[in-house]
Amino acid sequence: KMDLDNYKSIEINGIEDAYTFAFLKGLTFSECCYSCQFAGIARPSDLTIGDSWGSTLPETEKNKGLSLALCQTIKGERLLQMADLYLTDVDSTQAINSNSQLKNAMKKKPEREVFVRYLEMGKSFQDAMFLVFPQTVIKQKMKKLLIKSRFLRGMNSQYRILYKTKK
């Protein structure tokens, strides 16, 4: 069990999380990610661990957060069996088809070049996001406002970030 006495947390509503949106759009990848030789199913690692996209598990399980662990070797299987985790088998073909990074490297999108150019010009992350995806940013801000004013319910997916404090 984790001792949380020396930790503080930041809770971020999913609708406010511009970083995740930028990541999912491929804006924040390093240049080498677009030609990564390891983006595919054949990897030199014992295990590949990541988000489980395309899961057929019930929504109650999905809402808890799901990870996907793919074993490449017998050693990977043993390591996973030794871990104190709740594991369930999944359709590996569906998991691979739902996660493009398991098939090939992300294709660089034209918006990334524009986004990076704005950052290089000294724009803040939020400003660069607004300049590249104005409709999405406005839509997310409107959702946030409607949720705060209780005109809209739901959409309460939250991320909790723990960080260690100094004693």
Side-chain angles (χ1 to χ4, degrees), residues 28-162:
T28 57
F29 287 18
S30 296
E31 192 64 37
C32 61
C33 292
Y34 299 104
S35 58
C36 180
Q37 64 181 339
F38 303 114
I41 196 61
R43 296 171 180 230
S45 63
D46 296 310
L47 283 170
T48 297
I49 300 173
D51 292 328
S52 183
W53 302 106
S55 172
T56 57
L57 291 172
E59 286 300 315
T60 53
E61 291 302 311
K62 290 180 188 178
N63 291 338
K64 295 176 188 176
L66 299 175
S67 295
L68 178 68
L70 298 174
C71 299
Q72 265 74 264
T73 65
I74 303 264
K75 181 179 178 183
E77 283 184 45
R78 287 188 190 131
L79 288 168
L80 204 52
Q81 289 168 356
M82 289 171 32
D84 186 22
L85 301 171
Y86 170 75
L87 302 172
T88 186
D89 290 330
V90 297
D91 179 347
S92 59
T93 302
Q94 182 167 345
I96 292 165
N97 287 336
S98 298
N99 188 332
S100 62
Q101 290 294 101
L102 292 174
K103 292 192 273 187
N104 47 36
M106 165 83 74
K107 304 252 185 290
K108 191 186 303 184
K109 297 182 176 142
E111 295 93 349
R112 183 187 186 272
E113 298 303 317
V114 177
F115 179 75
V116 169
R117 206 170 325 122
Y118 281 130
L119 293 176
E120 289 171 345
M121 291 168 47
K123 299 284 184 193
S124 71
F125 184 88
Q126 296 293 335
D127 287 347
M129 284 296 294
F130 177 77
L131 291 165
V132 177
F133 293 104
Q135 289 179 318
T136 301
V137 171
I138 290 169
K139 182 177 155 185
Q140 298 297 13
K141 287 184 185 226
M142 290 299 293
K143 276 188 197 174
K144 178 183 173 191
L145 199 84
L146 290 170
I147 289 170
K148 274 188 171 180
S149 61
R150 300 186 191 264
F151 283 108
L152 184 64
R153 290 192 302 206
M155 315 268 208
N156 285 336
S157 59
Q158 288 195 336
Y159 303 96
R160 188 167 182 208
I161 302 168
L162 292 174

